[in-house]
Amino acid sequence: MVEIVSSQYTLVIRLLRLLTSLLTGGIIAESISCLATYFLINDSQVAGMVSHLLMQHLSYYFLGSAFVILSLGNILIKRGENSLRMLRMPSLILILTIAGSNFLLIPRMDYLRETALLDGMPVMLSPFANYFQILNSLVLLFLLIQITTSILLAWRLYRPEST
């Protein structure tokens, strides 16, 4: 006779799956929206400003969701659900990249943009153009890391071993 072992935390795991699905879809939609602004707006500086505003406003939702995923995962790990240990590192990386890009890099880029506009030139013609380009590349790299880690979180939660 085979006994099927089921977890007593199935509702919480379903909530975690829902949160990771919404988080993954939101981050992918954010990246598509940022790309759409560059294609729809002719001025690249204005498109960058709109994209960065969108990223900053959505970052609160993403940070909250990633924090809830990490917290619920840690609580369930302490209660014996060791299969959720694989959520810790991707959710921590996700939190750090969201916070780093939206609270460190983008405000610095806004400051460089405003400084260049006060001097009467766009940021690509200012003396800070190379520094701005490096920061913009880092933001794009962080966005790719966010997409990858959110997909990894969803994939790990939907595997049959995690139920």
Side-chain angles (χ1 to χ4, degrees), residues 111-163:
Y111 173 75
L112 292 175
R113 192 179 291 122
E114 288 175 12
T115 304
L117 287 175
L118 286 175
D119 292 339
M121 64 183 84
V123 73
M124 65 183 135
L125 298 176
S126 73
F128 307 116
N130 290 334
Y131 182 52
F132 186 86
Q133 189 66 28
I134 291 169
L135 292 178
N136 199 23
S137 300
L138 284 174
V139 168
L140 289 175
L141 177 69
F142 280 2
L143 184 62
L144 288 175
I145 292 171
Q146 290 171 24
I147 292 169
T148 306
T149 54
S150 66
I151 290 172
L152 182 66
L153 273 173
W155 176 70
R156 285 185 173 178
L157 267 175
Y158 278 100
R159 286 195 323 201
E161 298 92 41
S162 66
T163 57

Side-chain angles (χ1 to χ4, degrees), residues 55-96:
M55 288 174 74
Q56 282 182 322
H57 287 297
L58 288 176
S59 69
Y60 298 112
Y61 160 71
F62 296 149
L63 273 176
S65 297
F67 181 74
V68 167
I69 290 167
L70 181 63
S71 300
L72 286 176
N74 282 337
I75 290 170
L76 290 180
I77 289 168
K78 287 182 181 178
R79 293 185 180 179
E81 286 291 324
N82 290 326
S83 64
L84 295 177
R85 284 188 186 273
M86 61 197 160
L87 296 180
R88 284 181 172 167
M89 191 57 70
S91 59
L92 188 60
I93 291 171
L94 187 63
I95 289 171
L96 291 176

